[in-house]
Amino acid sequence: VLTPEQIGNVRIVMVRTRNPLNVGASARAMSNFGFLNLRVVQPYDAAFREARSAVDAEPVLTAAVEFQDVAHAIADCSLIVGTTAGGARHTLEPIQRLEAGAEIIRQHLQSGGKVAMLFGSEKVGLSNDDLNHCHLLLRIPTRTEHLSMNLGQSVAISLYELVRDSADTAKAIPLGPRRATAEERDRFLALLLHALSLSNYFPRGTQHSTEQRLRRLLRHVPVTQRDLQEWLGLIRQIVWKLESSQSQTSHPHE
Amino acid sequence: VLTPEQIGNVRIVMVRTRNPLNVGASARAMSNFGFLNLRVVQPYDAAFREARSAVDAEPVLTAAVEFQDVAHAIADCSLIVGTTAGGARHTLEPIQRLEAGAEIIRQHLQSGGKVAMLFGSEKVGLSNDDLNHCHLLLRIPTRTEHLSMNLGQSVAISLYELVRDSADTAKAIPLGPRRATAEERDRFLALLLHALSLSNYFPRGTQHSTEQRLRRLLRHVPVTQRDLQEWLGLIRQIVWKLESSQSQTSHPHE
């Protein structure tokens, strides 16, 4: 896990971005994950600081620094990382998947180095000249049929990968297999509610809140499909009894 | 790693989404990672299928199914997952980080189950009634100062986490520490180019391509800062010699 200081040693460098909304969206994702150092090289639209979609990203956009070329934007960094869709473009370097590349970036940051991450324009990505600056080329593992990602989403995923806590995966508490579907549970819930209604269970006006309470109650019972069938049979029997006794007592009044 | 068939058992359920562009952006991310099953509950704008930002996501948007409530949208699923910014909203369930929750989802898919992932509206997220359907609540690990993410980015990150190959991290090839910065390398490159220029190294008009070639050449030499200083001294000496011999031979002509 990276410290805030190590995260502070990452520069996000957006090269020739066309749409200012994409700069804004990237700035918001940066702020979400604590990356506050944005550098912009030759943006097509100088109005990028006013990007509307950048909710709460004003500090990142205001502090963003503009550069005329990539060389100056990366001058203080010792690891230069290029991102690419990894499609048709020919490069001399092997392109690593984000999962592997992020590990190299983390190690570099943990040894005190500064890292520049380059993101190219929406249309053509990074140029070959841009890529020549890079020690490491990354690609997000999109499928072959649809390689090209939205720019703001690429930035968001790359930063998430850097800060994700791999140790956290082990903390997952597995749920049992062969669980009933939501529809089967709902059928059970509906039958149970019917039985409760017939039993005058509901104080006036509480039907909705009771239904929500029971839904919560049932949700975490690890009901297998077989268990559920037994429960359904059981409640059906109660409902049958309630309904027949009701019809017996109510008939005389009709 | 999930098989395409397991990925096909995930339903992305967008509940009361306001901005059709967010549906479009989510559909594009889904298509990027091979999740093709989109369900939409009470969208504010029925025109979501025409979302402009959804480059190459037409198949996902066209196949999207509209529902009037969450219960019907999740009916065939046996694991219901809610996503939340995990901010002020009170819930009865502990909220797990995405890294841990994704492991539960993968296990469920690998045992043949179907999974619904719920994403709420941009403004208020999922309602308490929506959350009551969920077995599992996830949050993307954004920082406390800026919890709330863009909706399309949340979908993109969640799906990336599901398909990421954790084994791939181990394939990373570490780079050496204490490397020279890009600026130091550039200074060295500039000096080397100067020396080569003085030595008439460049065939006419090849300055730029040679520079690019040398940049590539130098990039992967794991030059430490100390090494670099030695190299700089060495080339400086050559440059001094070249310049002084040039001034000796050119003086007579002035």
Side-chain angles (χ1 to χ4, degrees), chain B residues 50-64:
Chain B
E50 280 88 51
R52 277 177 302 122
S53 70
V55 182
D56 294 332
E58 283 82 0
V60 171
L61 288 170
T62 307

Side-chain angles (χ1 to χ4, degrees), chain A residues 31-32 75 77 92-93 99 129 132 134-135 143 146 160-161 164-165 182-183 208 212 216 219-220, chain B residues 31-32 75 77 92-93 99 132 134-135 143 146 160-161 164-165 182-183 208 212 216 219-220:
Chain A
S31 176
N32 281 138
C77 298
L92 298 174
E93 298 307 315
E99 299 95 321
D129 281 10
N132 282 339
C134 300
H135 309 106
R143 64 188 177 125
H146 194 172
Y160 166 73
E161 175 62 45
R164 76 186 289 284
D165 182 0
E183 188 175 29
H208 178 77
Q212 290 299 327
R216 247 187 340 255
R219 184 185 38 180
H220 279 295
Chain B
S31 176
N32 282 139
C77 297
L92 299 174
E93 298 307 315
E99 299 93 324
N132 282 339
C134 299
H135 309 107
R143 65 188 176 124
H146 194 171
Y160 165 73
E161 174 62 45
R164 77 186 287 283
D165 183 0
E183 189 175 30
H208 178 76
Q212 291 299 327
R216 247 186 342 252
R219 186 184 38 180
H220 280 294

Side-chain angles (χ1 to χ4, degrees), chain A residues 85 140 142 147-151 153-154 157, chain B residues 28-29 32-33 156:
Chain A
I140 294 171
T142 47
L147 285 170
S148 168
M149 282 211 84
N150 167 275
L151 181 52
Q153 291 178 344
S154 300
I157 287 176
Chain B
R28 179 174 176 183
N32 282 139
F33 293 120

Side-chain angles (χ1 to χ4, degrees), chain A residues 25-36 53 55-57 60 71-72 74-80 92-93 96-101 103-104 106-108 111 128-136 140-144 146-153 156-157 160-161 163-166 168-186 208 212-213 215-216 219-220, chain B residues 25-36 53 55-57 60 71-72 74-80 92-93 96-101 103-104 106-108 111 128-136 140-144 146-153 156-157 160-161 163-166 168-186 208 212-213 215-216 219-220:
Chain A
S26 303
R28 179 173 176 184
M30 289 173 62
S31 176
N32 281 138
F33 293 119
F35 296 81
L36 307 179
S53 70
V55 182
D56 294 331
V60 171
H72 286 92
I74 64 173
D76 62 340
C77 298
S78 43
L79 177 65
I80 318 299
L92 298 174
E93 298 307 315
Q96 303 209 44
R97 277 172 66 120
L98 175 60
E99 299 95 321
E103 187 56 30
I104 297 175
R106 274 190 298 268
Q107 286 171 8
H108 195 80
S111 75
N128 279 325
D129 281 10
D130 300 335
L131 294 173
N132 282 339
H133 285 283
C134 300
H135 309 106
L136 180 63
I140 294 171
T142 47
R143 64 188 177 125
T144 323
H146 194 172
L147 285 170
S148 168
M149 282 211 84
N150 167 275
L151 181 52
Q153 291 178 344
I157 287 176
Y160 166 73
E161 175 62 45
V163 302
R164 76 186 289 284
D165 182 0
S166 49
D168 214 67
T169 309
K171 293 175 199 152
I173 304 147
L175 306 169
R178 282 188 211 164
R179 296 154 58 84
T181 67
E183 188 175 29
E184 290 166 329
R185 278 167 186 257
D186 269 1
H208 178 77
Q212 290 299 327
R213 192 160 50 78
R215 189 186 293 283
R216 247 187 340 255
R219 184 185 38 180
H220 279 295
Chain B
S26 303
R28 179 174 176 183
M30 289 173 61
S31 176
N32 282 139
F33 293 120
F35 295 81
L36 306 179
S53 70
V55 182
D56 294 332
V60 171
H72 286 91
I74 64 174
D76 61 342
C77 297
S78 43
L79 177 65
I80 318 300
L92 299 174
E93 298 307 315
Q96 303 208 44
R97 277 173 66 120
L98 175 60
E99 299 93 324
E103 187 55 31
I104 298 175
R106 275 190 296 267
Q107 285 171 9
H108 195 80
S111 76
N128 278 326
D129 281 10
D130 299 335
L131 293 173
N132 282 339
H133 284 285
C134 299
H135 309 107
L136 180 62
I140 293 171
T142 47
R143 65 188 176 124
T144 323
H146 194 171
L147 285 171
S148 168
M149 283 210 83
N150 167 275
L151 181 53
Q153 292 178 344
I157 288 176
Y160 165 73
E161 174 62 45
V163 302
R164 77 186 287 283
D165 183 0
S166 50
D168 213 67
T169 309
K171 294 174 198 150
I173 304 147
L175 307 169
R178 281 185 213 166
R179 295 154 59 84
T181 66
E183 189 175 30
E184 290 166 330
R185 279 168 184 257
D186 269 0
H208 178 76
Q212 291 299 327
R213 192 161 49 80
R215 189 186 293 286
R216 247 186 342 252
R219 186 184 38 180
H220 280 294

Side-chain angles (χ1 to χ4, degrees), chain A residues 205-244:
Chain A
T206 61
Q207 173 97 23
H208 178 77
S209 62
T210 306
E211 192 178 319
Q212 290 299 327
R213 192 160 50 78
L214 286 176
R215 189 186 293 283
R216 247 187 340 255
L217 196 73
L218 285 176
R219 184 185 38 180
H220 279 295
V221 184
V223 183
T224 63
Q225 293 187 321
R226 201 176 135 177
D227 283 352
L228 199 70
Q229 291 308 319
E230 287 193 39
W231 272 99
L232 279 170
L234 193 147
I235 305 288
R236 267 194 208 105
Q237 178 63 27
I238 295 171
V239 167
W240 176 82
K241 181 67 187 165
L242 287 167
E243 285 180 338
S244 59

Side-chain angles (χ1 to χ4, degrees), chain A residues 141-143 145-146, chain B residues 1-13 25-39 56-57 59-61 63-64 102 105-106 109 115-117 119 155-164:
Chain A
T142 47
R143 64 188 177 125
E145 297 87 340
H146 194 172
Chain B
V1 181
L2 297 174
T3 66
E5 193 187 22
Q6 287 160 354
I7 288 177
N9 278 336
V10 176
R11 286 89 177 86
I12 303 301
V13 184
S26 303
R28 179 174 176 183
M30 289 173 61
S31 176
N32 282 139
F33 293 120
F35 295 81
L36 306 179
N37 204 316
L38 174 61
R39 297 178 176 184
D56 294 332
V60 171
L61 288 170
I105 296 172
R106 275 190 296 267
L109 291 168
V115 175
M117 294 188 73
F119 293 87
V155 172
I157 288 176
S158 302
L159 300 185
Y160 165 73
E161 174 62 45
L162 285 182
V163 302
R164 77 186 287 283

